[in-house]
Every structure is written in structure tokens, then in C-alpha cells.
Amino acid sequence: MADQEETKGSPSFLELAPRKAGVRDLSRLLRDSDLTQRDFVDGSDDTQVKLKYRRLIFVSTLMQKLLLFFSTPLAFMGRVFEMFLNFLSYNHSPCAFVKNLKRGTLIPRRDSAEFVSYIGFLDGRIKLEPNIKPGDGFKYYSALCMMASKVAYENKARIEHIVKDHLNMEFLGFYSCWNDYQQKTTTEVFLLRDKSDDRDTIVVAFRGTEPFSADDWCTDWDLSHHPLRDPKSHSLLGNVHDGFMKALGLSEVDEWPANYKDGTGKQNLAYYFIRDKLKTLLDASDRTNYIVTGHSLGGALAILFPTILFCHDEKFLLERLQGVYTYGQPRVGDGMLGKFMERKLKEHNIRYFRFVYSYDMVPRLPYDDKDHWYKHFGKALYYNPHYHGAAVTELPNKNYFSIILALATMVNAVYEMVRSFVIVTKMIMSAVYELGRCFVIHYTRGPYYKEGWVLCTTRITGLLVPGVSDHSPQDYVNCTCLGQPGFPPEEMSDS
């Protein structure tokens, strides 16, 4: 009888408040199809929701509750672990330890250029692959954008040091912007300029999901979405992820005003601040273009930035937008929004490259149902564990919650862990080496692809939480460098 009453699919508007969810509320969610009876759910008029969608709301809320419960110890653990790694790196020898002890600085300051983030220890490369040159076109820009997306996890001083001294490019600034979803200045972005006689490109890189930030992971797991409307006609463009849009600057409304005057005392809102910054920079030269990029959560912000430019019909900025490169990007909206974006990207001739490595869990979040909710749009550049790429319209095992995916990711995690330890030790028995020789791709490619002990240890987590280790920037950097020479970016032109 209850199923007969459930004539609606999923709510067209949904906002979850996991902090308000109690055990009784969560249990009743699975029994009662009326969302208005749940204090932690604010939904649309589509109150009668099918059981399969209520299950997804249940999982999303439960995951966020767990993350919030462990948020303080998780942040503390991350801080201690980063300090420990920096202590080991900073005092890499007895002489260095004695020298630093005399100076009273056994650990570099967190805001100094010497302090490395956990992401930086996962993948310590801070230069582009030597064989990739500016004339390589797609391969060069995909490698540059991934490097920028990875570097975005560092502090301002270190980012400036890497951009100027290792990438030999111009550092244009690092900015912390207000995130209305987290009620903090946690949306961070930096700009660099790659300029020479034959090119002048600004790269806008959004920082992604911090590994030890419960708030960031809650954003990825959240199913909350709002309708996005055209500011002029008020017509519906689609439903968009609530947390990602608020990280860009949307507040409590479903429309984006073209201009925003802050009377609330909040700091910079990312969309408006970066938009105005780009206008100033691009006005100075007719030959300057720009690219938007990001890894993980940063990838979601990178593709939503031009989404709002489309809404505001920012012709000048859209003409100068050379492309959008995202890596391990989660889904950002529904199918209707996807169709709007595909049409607009084609109309303005903007290339959108969405990289996905193997069984990375983040591109498979939030949930994608065959007839509703979150959808990727355009084709993805999907790379298997051997870094062989293909342009696909749908990922293998498109959702994270899948028995088949769980088994496949476990097998892949074992493979990656073996590969990592082979590369680091270089002293494995010859018989085992012969057996796994085809997997030792980093070792056979040279020292640029060496994996450190931090990453090797992290690979083990792939056995405990399948898909987590595949989200590492190391693999995405490798995808941009080791993708087979015949991989055609032209396949993406229809996206």
C-alpha cells in the first residue's frame, strides 16, 4: 500500500541537515515516504519519495553524521601526521637535524615555503615531466593543469615558490574565499601565468578535497541540490549540487545575481572575485586566454565556474576561456543541467576534459540513477590502471555502491600496492619481478615516476576503503604524462 502511494520519484529540491538527524529520524526515513516528517530534510512539494531514493538519503546523511562525529580527531590526526612528515623531511640527515636544532626550527612553519602538505608527500613532483613541451598542445596543458591542481593543496608561500622557481611561471596570487556551505573561508584558489612569445595563458586552479577535512568529504557525500534558474528569464536550467555552489558563492537563493555587493561582512565570494580578477587581467592584453582546473572538489568548482558565466552571458570571459580540465571530479548536477552545459560548451567552442582514473570513488559520487539525480555530462577521459585512456560517455561501474565495483577495486588496490613497493625497493626477488614486470610501469619509465613510501602506505587503504587510493594526484599526473601517444583529444569535441 505504501508503495502505491509513492507516485513521486525523487525530490526536485533537497537540503539535508545531518546535524539535526537522530537515530529515530533516520530509521523512520526508511519506513515513511513523506519527507516533511523528517526534521533534517527540507524538500520540495514532491513529498512522497520512493524507497530507493530514501535509502540514498539515509546513506548520505549517515556518512555525513559519521564524518562530522570524527571531524575533530580526523583534523587532529591530519595535523599531527603532516607535522611528523615535515619533521622527517626537514631533518633528513643527522647533520640537518643538528643544524635545525641549533636554529630552534625542527619543523618548518605551516605558512612557510618549506612546509609540505600531505598531498605534497603523496606526490612530491613539483616540475612538469621533462619530455612534455609547450608545443605538445593537449598533453602539455593537461599536464600543466594537473600539476596546478595538485600544487593548489599547498600553502600560499609554497605555491608561489613552486610556480616561480620550479615551473618558471608567473604567480598571480592565492586567495581564500568565503564558503557559505561550511561557513568558513575554505574555498581556495590560485592563479598562475604561462607566458612566452607564442602563448599567454592564465591557469585558475581551485583547491580540492582536503584529505583530513570532514567538511570537505561531507560536501562530496551530500545529496542536497537546488534548482538553478536563468537570472533574466527565471527559467529552470537544472538542479545543481548545493554544497559546490555555496563554495563558489551562492548563498540562500536559487538565482545568481550578476553583481554582488557584500553587506554581510563575509570575505570574498569565489565566483565574483575570480571573475572580476580575470576581467582585469584579460583586459590588459588581447592575446591572453585562460584555463580553469581543479582536482576532486576543485574540479567541481572548475566546471561550475563557467556554468555561472553562461547564466550571466559573460561573453568576454567566455570568448577567452580556452578550456576546462578536471581530475577526479564528482558529479555537480542533474541531467537537465548536463544538457544545458553540453549545449553551451558547444555553442562557445569551449573544450571540457574530465579525467577519471580507474576506480576512483569521487567521480562516482553523488549517486547517479538511470532516470534522475546526479549525472555527469560530456565524455570522460577514462584511464585504466595501465594508464591506457579512452573517451567514454559512461564510467565502468558508474556508482560507488556496487558489489562488482567493490570486488574490482579491491583487486586493483592489490595491484597498485604491489606496483608501488616494487618501484620503491627496486630489490624485489627476480622471480617476483619477472611475474610483475608488466606492472612496474613507473620503474620502467624512469625516476620521475618513482613512488614514495607515503604513497605506498596509502595504497594499503585501498584494501580497506576501495577507490580511495585511486583518487591520489600521483595517478592523475601519470595519466597526463603516460597516456598512450595515439590517444585522440578530438574525441572530446562532441562533449
Side-chain angles (χ1 to χ4, degrees):
M1 186 71 177
D3 290 338
Q4 292 177 353
E5 294 175 355
E6 294 177 13
T7 57
K8 301 293 183 181
S10 60
S12 56
F13 154 70
L14 179 68
E15 186 166 343
L16 303 180
R19 287 183 172 86
K20 297 181 180 179
V23 175
R24 181 178 297 179
D25 251 351
L26 282 171
S27 62
R28 287 179 177 176
L29 174 67
L30 298 176
R31 300 196 306 267
D32 189 352
S33 63
D34 189 354
L35 293 185
T36 60
Q37 302 301 314
R38 310 280 72 80
D39 291 338
F40 66 94
V41 181
D42 185 9
S44 60
D45 293 334
D46 304 334
T47 56
Q48 302 297 318
V49 178
K50 290 182 178 179
L51 178 60
K52 66 176 181 179
Y53 294 114
R54 300 202 312 273
R55 285 173 178 164
L56 294 175
I57 294 173
F58 174 85
V59 172
S60 172
T61 306
L62 181 61
M63 286 299 301
Q64 292 182 75
K65 288 285 289 184
L66 290 172
L67 286 165
L68 291 171
F69 181 79
F70 291 106
S71 61
T72 300
L74 184 64
F76 178 76
M77 182 180 71
R79 190 177 183 89
V80 170
F81 192 40
E82 279 191 340
M83 297 291 277
F84 172 69
L85 292 175
N86 276 275
F87 172 81
L88 294 180
S89 175
Y90 202 54
N91 304 282
H92 52 82
S93 68
C95 291
F97 175 78
V98 172
K99 181 180 178 181
N100 293 329
L101 184 62
K102 290 180 178 179
R103 295 190 304 178
T105 55
L106 290 177
I107 300 175
R109 298 193 324 273
R110 295 189 67 88
D111 60 352
S112 69
E114 291 79 20
F115 192 90
V116 183
S117 70
Y118 172 69
I119 295 294
F121 281 107
L122 280 180
D123 183 0
R125 293 171 292 188
I126 52 179
K127 292 184 178 181
L128 297 180
E129 217 271 14
N131 294 322
I132 296 180
K133 307 298 181 185
D136 292 339
F138 164 77
K139 194 163 190 175
Y140 172 76
Y141 285 111
S142 62
L144 173 60
C145 286
M146 183 55 224
M147 182 60 68
S149 298
K150 182 173 74 75
V151 171
Y153 288 96
E154 306 297 334
N155 63 58
K156 179 181 179 180
R158 183 159 180 80
I159 293 174
E160 184 173 3
H161 164 67
I162 293 172
V163 170
K164 288 182 176 180
D165 300 334
H166 294 277
L167 297 178
N168 298 315
M169 298 177 185
E170 183 181 354
F171 176 73
L172 298 177
F174 172 88
Y175 309 100
S176 295
C177 302
W178 178 257
N179 184 329
D180 209 65
Y181 182 79
Q182 297 182 6
Q183 293 292 300
K184 305 173 188 175
T185 53
T186 53
T187 299
E188 294 176 308
V189 55
F190 85 94
L191 284 72
L192 67 80
R193 190 172 201 157
D194 179 24
K195 186 175 182 180
S196 68
D197 293 337
D198 61 346
R199 67 185 185 282
D200 187 359
T201 305
I202 294 171
V203 176
V204 180
F206 287 93
R207 176 177 290 180
T209 304
E210 295 277 6
F212 298 99
S213 170
D215 288 332
D216 282 0
W217 284 106
C218 282
T219 304
D220 290 336
W221 278 97
D222 194 7
L223 290 177
S224 301
H225 58 269
H226 280 77
L228 180 66
R229 301 185 182 277
D230 186 294
K232 294 181 180 179
S233 66
H234 305 290
S235 61
L236 181 64
L237 303 178
N239 286 297
V240 66
H241 190 285
D242 182 60
F244 299 153
M245 291 298 264
K246 286 183 177 179
L248 264 187
L250 178 68
S251 185
E252 300 297 333
V253 295
D254 59 0
E255 296 180 7
W256 282 71
N259 296 294
Y260 178 81
K261 293 183 178 179
D262 184 15
T264 66
K266 299 174 183 176
Q267 299 190 34
N268 301 324
L269 298 179
Y271 166 74
Y272 298 102
F273 183 81
I274 298 301
R275 181 196 65 179
D276 295 343
K277 188 75 175 177
L278 283 171
K279 285 182 178 180
T280 301
L281 292 167
L282 297 172
D283 269 336
S285 173
D286 292 336
R287 62 187 291 263
T288 307
N289 295 314
Y290 72 102
I291 291 172
V292 188
T293 189
H295 169 259
S296 192
L297 168 63
L301 302 185
I303 189 57
L304 286 176
F305 182 79
T307 302
I308 310 306
L309 293 181
F310 291 139
C311 291
H312 294 158
D313 195 24
E314 293 280 359
K315 291 184 174 64
F316 174 67
L317 288 179
L318 291 170
E319 287 173 359
R320 298 290 190 92
L321 180 54
Q322 184 175 328
V324 180
Y325 293 72
T326 70
Y327 308 85
Q329 170 213 314
R331 299 180 178 105
V332 298
D334 64 3
M336 186 176 183
L337 180 74
K339 291 178 181 178
F340 167 76
M341 286 299 293
E342 287 176 344
R343 184 176 71 253
K344 286 296 184 178
L345 288 168
K346 186 174 182 179
E347 178 183 321
H348 291 273
N349 195 29
I350 297 171
R351 310 295 294 280
Y352 171 38
F353 300 103
R354 177 166 54 88
F355 288 75
V356 178
Y357 171 69
S358 192
Y359 297 107
D360 184 353
M361 67 182 292
V362 175
R364 294 171 169 86
L365 296 172
Y367 191 83
D368 174 12
D369 182 75
K370 64 180 181 180
D371 58 4
H372 197 70
W373 277 20
Y374 289 94
K375 305 281 185 183
H376 278 304
F377 53 87
K379 293 181 179 178
L381 293 172
Y382 174 75
Y383 289 81
N384 67 15
H386 304 285
Y387 304 116
H388 294 163
V392 299
T393 55
E394 188 170 286
L395 298 177
N397 303 297
K398 66 178 182 178
N399 286 312
Y400 182 62
F401 292 107
S402 163
I403 295 177
I404 296 175
L405 177 60
L407 293 174
T409 50
M410 290 286 280
V411 171
N412 190 56
V414 173
Y415 154 68
E416 288 181 334
M417 188 172 62
V418 172
R419 183 183 65 189
S420 297
F421 282 111
V422 168
I423 296 166
V424 172
T425 62
K426 297 183 182 179
M427 296 179 64
I428 198 166
M429 294 183 301
S430 61
V432 179
Y433 172 75
E434 288 290 329
L435 184 64
R437 181 171 53 188
C438 62
F439 301 132
V440 197
I441 192 168
H442 299 175
Y443 178 66
T444 59
R445 290 284 183 162
Y448 186 78
Y449 301 98
K450 179 180 179 181
E451 296 186 0
W453 70 269
V454 178
L455 180 58
C456 292
T457 304
T458 304
R459 296 287 194 199
I460 300 174
T461 62
L463 296 173
L464 305 175
V465 186
V468 170
S469 62
D470 287 353
H471 195 54
S472 165
Q474 171 97 14
D475 289 312
Y476 281 98
V477 172
N478 292 346
C479 287
T480 63
C481 299
L482 296 177
Q484 68 270 31
F487 187 71
E490 288 75 15
E491 290 190 32
M492 306 296 289
S493 61
D494 296 332
S495 62

